[in-house]
Amino acid sequence: YQRRVHGHLEERPFIPENVRPLEVVQGPGEIIFVPAGWWHSVLNLDITVCCTQNFVNVNNVKDVARSIAQCRRKWSGVFEERLRASHPELFTDGTLDACFNGSG
């Protein structure tokens, strides 16, 4: 990891600071929040316990539906079916239909 990331950056000093990767070392008892959609990589330096949670709510359901329809076609139908059954109100304006069929 160190050689790949740091070597890559040293060879490309023209990469602007605002798009370079962030590197942190998390100490015992500390928590790191990674916002939805952020690409990230983890290198465990010691024995580690990790708890991660990805969730869908009314604020991100359209983004999740769009992503699943594009990248996870096998899951798309199941997700749409279950979401429609449990939360039909989310489909009233047609936006989610467009997300699932690839036009939204």
Side-chain angles (χ1 to χ4, degrees):
Y1 169 79
Q2 290 281 8
R3 193 178 77 221
R4 277 189 307 197
V5 171
H6 293 288
H8 174 75
L9 293 174
E10 289 168 5
E11 293 168 8
R12 293 167 179 81
F14 54 86
I15 297 174
E17 191 66 33
N18 65 332
V19 295
R20 288 174 173 261
L22 301 173
E23 182 178 325
V24 267
V25 176
Q26 180 180 4
E30 295 180 331
I31 295 173
I32 294 178
F33 171 75
V34 179
W38 277 37
W39 287 73
H40 63 282
S41 175
V42 175
L43 173 65
N44 295 318
L45 302 174
D46 202 348
I47 296 173
T48 305
V49 175
C50 174
C51 177
T52 182
Q53 183 168 349
N54 298 312
F55 65 93
V56 179
N57 63 26
V58 295
N59 297 312
N60 69 356
V61 68
K62 292 175 187 172
D63 292 331
V64 172
R66 198 174 295 114
S67 177
I68 288 175
Q70 291 172 354
C71 304
R72 307 262 197 275
R73 296 208 181 274
K74 290 181 181 180
W75 298 354
S76 182
V78 173
F79 180 63
E80 180 181 4
E81 179 183 306
R82 291 183 183 174
L83 188 60
R84 220 176 258 284
S86 61
H87 295 286
E89 73 279 3
L90 296 175
F91 289 86
T92 56
D93 69 355
T95 309
L96 272 179
D97 292 308
C99 292
F100 280 111
N101 69 29
S103 61

